[in-house]
């Protein structure tokens, strides 16, 4: 089916997205000759036959009881008012036509993470900047403040990006960036996201990228890189080379790089991170006008 067309009626968009999902799952394919009504009441059970009389008894056989009338079949299900459709993450994300709508769609995605987290962590920075960074999942500080990358690793990341002239607070789009995560909710105890959690939110992230339409994406760490590139290799193998994101995300060139939390634990790896930052800077320079003020090389803790 072709993509759901934008519509002025959000409920209609949701229903269209749900219909599209049903079609993707094969609801329009015939599996048998005759239709099967799975909601019909079950057929009435036949009453059990009484046991046969013992043959040796000389007395006249008592009259056999007439078999009891079959139990009245249950009343047909009443016509209930139509419940609102229960939409999955893919349908909810597909129906979101704006970033605000996507943020609200995320709140409707059913996951236990929603119950354990304090705040939804959607994104930060300037979506018009042309550069989108994608990390793994919020930590404790991010959960508390509802903003991505504001804890220790986020502060290191801000310093790294400042060294190539980028600042998420900058007003000028060419000096700023936009940042989000694969998971919008903090996993309890900062545990690593499960494969199921990543799979649940991947359509949301792809939709997020499609709505922002960045010119470049940077994937911070193995979770983001492997999920978005559908790769099996670890981040140390993936990093440092531009790849194209899947078509659902607009096929944008994306650079896998090391996660700042990893750099905090392994300061020697900052050398590779710096090489990636220079690649990013060069790509941004080639992709459009840039502001002055690129700092001297070097990432400080
Ligand atoms: N690590 C991440 O991947 N994302 C955050 O927002 C914070 C830490």
């Amino acid at each position: 089916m072709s993509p759901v067309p934008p519509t002025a009626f959000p409920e209609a968009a949701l229903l269209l997205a749900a219909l599209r999902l049903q079609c993707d799952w094969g609801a329009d394919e015939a599996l048998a000759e005759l239709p099967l009504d799975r909601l019909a009441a079950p057929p009435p059970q036949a009453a059990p036959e009484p046991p046969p009389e013992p043959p040796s008894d000389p007395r006249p056989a008592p009259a056999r009881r007439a078999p009891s009338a079959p139990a009245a079949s249950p009343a047909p299900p009443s016509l209930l008012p139509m419940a609102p459709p229960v939409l999955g993450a893919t349908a909810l994300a597909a129906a979101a036509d704006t970033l605000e709508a996507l943020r609200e769609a995320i709140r409707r995605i059913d996951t236990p993470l929603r119950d354990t987290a304090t705040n939804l962590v959607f994104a930060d920075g300037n979506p018009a900047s042309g550069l989108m960074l994608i990390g793994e999942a919020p930590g404790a500080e991010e959960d508390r403040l509802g903003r991505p990358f504001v804890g220790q690793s986020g502060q290191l990341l801000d310093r790294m990006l400042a060294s190539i002239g980028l600042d998420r607070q900058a007003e000028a789009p060419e000096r700023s960036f936009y940042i989000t995560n694969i998971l919008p909710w903090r996993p309890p105890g900062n545990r690593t996201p499960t494969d199921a959690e990543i799979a649940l939110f991947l359509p949301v992230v792809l939709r997020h990228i499609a709505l922002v339409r960045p010119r470049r994406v940077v994937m911070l760490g193995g979770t983001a890189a492997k999920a978005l590139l559908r790769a099996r290799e670890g981040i140390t193998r993936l990093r440092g080379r531009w790849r194209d994101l899947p078509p659902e995300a607009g096929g944008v060139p994306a650079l896998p790089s090391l996660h700042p939390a990893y750099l905090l634990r392994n300061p020697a790896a900052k050398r590779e991170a710096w090489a990636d930052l220079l690649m990013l800077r060069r790509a941004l320079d080639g992709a459009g006008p840039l502001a002055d003020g690129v700092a001297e090389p070097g990432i400080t803790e």
Side-chain angles (χ1 to χ4, degrees):
M1 266 181 98
S2 55
V4 177
T7 164
F9 304 102
E11 287 309 312
L14 286 181
L15 288 170
L16 272 175
L19 182 62
R20 182 175 167 224
L21 185 69
Q22 297 276 342
C23 290
D24 288 345
W25 284 348
D28 56 342
E29 313 235 336
L31 298 179
E33 290 287 302
L34 293 173
L36 179 61
D37 184 356
R38 294 181 190 280
L39 300 177
Q45 298 265 321
E49 280 287 309
E53 297 297 331
S56 55
D57 192 337
R59 289 172 298 172
R64 284 181 83 173
R65 268 195 300 138
S68 50
S73 53
S78 59
L79 286 175
L80 297 169
M82 212 168 82
V86 178
L87 298 177
T90 307
L92 284 165
D97 284 338
T98 62
L99 291 177
E100 201 40 54
L102 188 66
R103 182 200 288 263
E104 290 317 304
I106 291 172
R107 293 190 190 282
R108 296 178 59 188
I109 295 174
D110 192 17
T111 166
L113 293 176
R114 193 176 49 179
D115 302 329
T116 50
T118 307
N119 281 304
L120 171 66
V121 178
F122 183 65
D124 199 14
N126 185 350
S129 67
L131 172 62
M132 182 166 181
L133 278 72
I134 304 173
E136 181 178 295
E141 270 302 276
E142 289 78 16
D143 182 46
R144 198 171 66 76
L145 298 174
R147 286 172 57 214
F149 283 98
V150 289
Q152 228 195 332
S153 62
Q155 289 160 23
L156 172 60
L157 181 67
D158 281 346
R159 288 195 295 278
M160 290 164 59
L161 291 163
S163 72
I164 56 163
L166 299 172
D167 170 5
R168 67 171 104 176
Q169 316 274 355
E171 277 193 16
E174 66 275 14
R175 285 186 57 86
S176 68
F177 61 93
Y178 184 70
I179 188 162
T180 187
N181 282 303
I182 296 285
L183 294 195
W185 303 108
R186 179 196 184 204
N190 287 357
R191 65 161 168 73
T192 305
T194 65
D195 288 349
E197 287 162 353
I198 294 168
L200 178 68
F201 283 104
L202 187 57
V204 176
V205 182
L206 293 173
R207 184 73 185 140
H208 202 158
I209 300 168
L211 288 171
V212 171
R213 300 178 57 210
R215 287 178 304 162
R216 302 283 167 166
V217 164
V218 175
M219 298 161 289
L220 296 166
T223 297
K226 287 198 266 185
L228 288 168
L229 299 175
R230 298 182 178 131
R232 286 170 171 270
E233 304 102 298
I235 187 64
T236 47
R237 280 184 163 271
L238 290 172
R239 61 148 287 276
R241 197 147 58 88
W242 288 100
R243 322 275 179 122
D244 288 342
L245 288 185
E248 309 96 281
V252 189
L255 183 67
S257 190
L258 301 172
H259 194 287
Y262 175 81
L263 298 177
L264 286 172
R265 294 191 304 271
N266 303 277
K270 285 180 183 166
R271 182 190 164 91
E272 280 83 42
W274 176 243
D276 296 346
L277 281 176
L278 291 181
M279 282 187 79
L280 172 63
R281 180 73 266 176
R282 278 195 295 272
L284 293 175
D285 286 345
L290 278 173
D292 297 325
V294 177
E296 284 299 302
I299 307 165
T300 50
E301 263 192 57

